[in-house]
Amino acid sequence: RRYFDLKNFTDPFKVIAGIGQCYKIIKKEKPNMRYPEFLKENGTIGFVAPSFGCSTEPYRTAFNHALDKWKKEGYGIDIGPNCYENSGVGISNTPEKCAEELTEWYCRKGNNILISCGGGELMCEVLPFVDFERQIPSGIWDIQTIPI
């Protein structure tokens, strides 16, 4: 947090010193970071709406433009049932149905990555209903969800 303070950008030497501090901490702590693979050519992108979806404008049009661009680039698209849903209050659907969608799309073998098509403010309401035992038989949740 302190490295992104506006005062630091007025003095580039503080920014450089902060970067050096980060490298020292990482070298000392050696965190066990797992990095996902990059999305391969012609891979499949799964879209879910575990919170707010893309049922209203301007989100629907922007989402459709993004889908068109990814399709033109050769990627497969797998859209969850809640992406265009508007049944919930401030959330795309009921928390139970959003959790069901997240579980189903996470477990699909054909999806290389998952992207949340909308916001995430109410995703905390979904978590009690997510089937973690089904998603994480290994005990490690390796989800690659990226809000756009």
Side-chain angles (χ1 to χ4, degrees), residues 26-43:
I26 290 170
K27 189 175 180 181
K28 178 182 173 190
E29 297 295 325
K30 295 183 177 126
N32 187 11
M33 302 282 294
R34 294 174 6 139
Y35 297 96
E37 293 179 21
F38 289 102
L39 180 60
K40 294 177 175 52
E41 266 188 59
N42 301 318

Side-chain angles (χ1 to χ4, degrees), residues 26-96:
I26 290 170
K27 189 175 180 181
K28 178 182 173 190
E29 297 295 325
K30 295 183 177 126
N32 187 11
M33 302 282 294
R34 294 174 6 139
Y35 297 96
E37 293 179 21
F38 289 102
L39 180 60
K40 294 177 175 52
E41 266 188 59
N42 301 318
T44 300
I45 305 169
F47 291 93
V48 292
S51 185
F52 188 71
C54 296
S55 63
T56 59
E57 293 299 337
Y59 311 109
R60 185 181 196 96
T61 300
F63 182 56
N64 288 334
H65 286 302
L67 292 176
D68 290 342
K69 183 162 179 64
W70 279 315
K71 286 177 188 174
K72 286 178 186 171
E73 291 181 13
Y75 295 108
I77 303 297
D78 187 14
I79 300 173
N82 294 325
C83 290
Y84 292 114
E85 190 59 51
N86 193 19
S87 301
V89 178
I91 189 169
S92 61
N93 210 327
T94 64
E96 294 86 355

Side-chain angles (χ1 to χ4, degrees), residues 5 14 20 24 29 36 38 49 55 67 85 90 98 100 105 109 121 133 142 148:
D5 190 285
K14 286 184 180 180
K24 279 183 184 177
E29 297 295 325
F38 289 102
S55 63
L67 292 176
E85 190 59 51
C98 289
E100 182 182 331
W105 261 246
K109 299 295 180 202
E121 187 175 326
E133 282 78 30
D142 186 24
I148 58 170

